Amino acid sequence: MRNPIDRLTAGLPHPARVAIDWVVTLAVAVGIVLAVKAWVVNPYRIPTSSMEPTLHCAQPAEGCLAGSSDRVLANRFILHFRDPERGEVVVFDTPAEALARCGTAGTFVKRIIGLPGETVEQHDGFISVDGRRLDEPYAHGRSAAQDGRWQVGPNAYFVMGDNRSNSCDSRVWGAVPRKNLIGTVFATYWPPDRIALGA
């Protein structure tokens, strides 16, 4: 049984049919890749040291521990079916306040610390949520410099970098609206010696 392309090109010379078949095949393949990138999985590069040592950025940038930046994959699909969870590393579009307060904006990678309606407090560099101190083995560079207390609004998430002394995050520009969340980081795929599931 012939496919539709074969039927449409039946009267053409063989080289033209082969060329059209290749063009259609490549167009479909590119379409599938773009659809997956837009709706399912997307790659991201770690540009700063805010997530060190969990996710590396490249030296000689300040605070970076590796020769090349980690590349991670984010699941853009899963948050359509469930709520984000505390401890997950997420990719998100920064609120407008991030540019004003940190001098940078765009797509950030941070860890979810506070959920909607919770109260987040930092005291002597340690984080408590609704009065209970979090166990944070991933946290690095604790500092009391940004101690404070924040109320997370509805449909918003309080995010922080793992490198607490070198992260411009929700402590500075507030919680991230749910609509700004792009996806959850589920794997590191580059460099080869850093390939791993999770973050």
Side-chain angles (χ1 to χ4, degrees):
M1 184 176 179
R2 293 191 302 178
N3 65 49
I5 300 301
D6 288 341
R7 289 197 296 272
L8 290 172
T9 60
L12 296 176
H14 180 71
R17 292 198 314 270
V18 170
I20 290 171
D21 186 57
W22 271 104
V23 168
V24 170
T25 300
L26 289 173
V28 169
V30 168
I32 290 171
V33 168
L34 292 176
V36 167
K37 189 174 184 294
W39 294 303
V40 183
V41 174
N42 205 25
Y44 295 91
R45 181 181 67 87
I46 305 303
T48 72
S49 64
S50 70
M51 286 299 292
E52 291 281 7
T54 306
L55 296 172
H56 292 328
C57 59
Q59 298 170 341
E62 182 182 352
C64 295
L65 301 178
S68 62
S69 295
D70 283 355
R71 265 66 168 191
V72 298
L73 295 174
N75 184 332
R76 298 172 61 101
F77 196 62
I78 196 166
L79 296 183
H80 294 291
F81 298 98
R82 67 164 178 81
D83 291 329
E85 299 173 358
R86 188 185 339 277
E88 286 187 307
V89 176
V90 292
V91 179
F92 58 94
D93 293 321
T94 55
E97 190 68 13
L99 180 59
R101 301 293 301 275
C102 302
T104 185
T107 304
F108 280 12
V109 177
K110 307 281 185 192
R111 190 179 298 274
I112 291 180
I113 301 299
L115 305 177
E118 293 182 334
T119 299
V120 178
E121 186 172 5
Q122 178 174 300
H123 181 69
D124 291 334
F126 290 90
I127 300 297
S128 296
V129 174
D130 289 344
R132 296 183 60 186
R133 182 180 285 189
L134 294 185
D135 179 23
E136 298 187 287
Y138 46 76
H140 173 74
R142 298 182 189 274
S143 168
Q146 290 179 292
D147 281 358
R149 190 171 186 270
W150 304 270
Q151 181 67 41
V152 185
N155 297 313
Y157 293 84
F158 196 90
V159 298
M160 297 173 66
D162 288 355
N163 186 359
R164 297 293 163 76
S165 60
N166 194 23
S167 176
C168 190
D169 50 38
S170 287
R171 294 171 294 176
V172 178
W173 37 257
V176 178
R178 169 69 187 261
K179 63 183 176 63
N180 286 38
L181 298 181
I182 296 171
T184 59
V185 172
F186 69 90
T188 302
Y189 71 92
W190 190 263
D193 64 337
R194 295 277 295 162
I195 292 174
L197 292 176

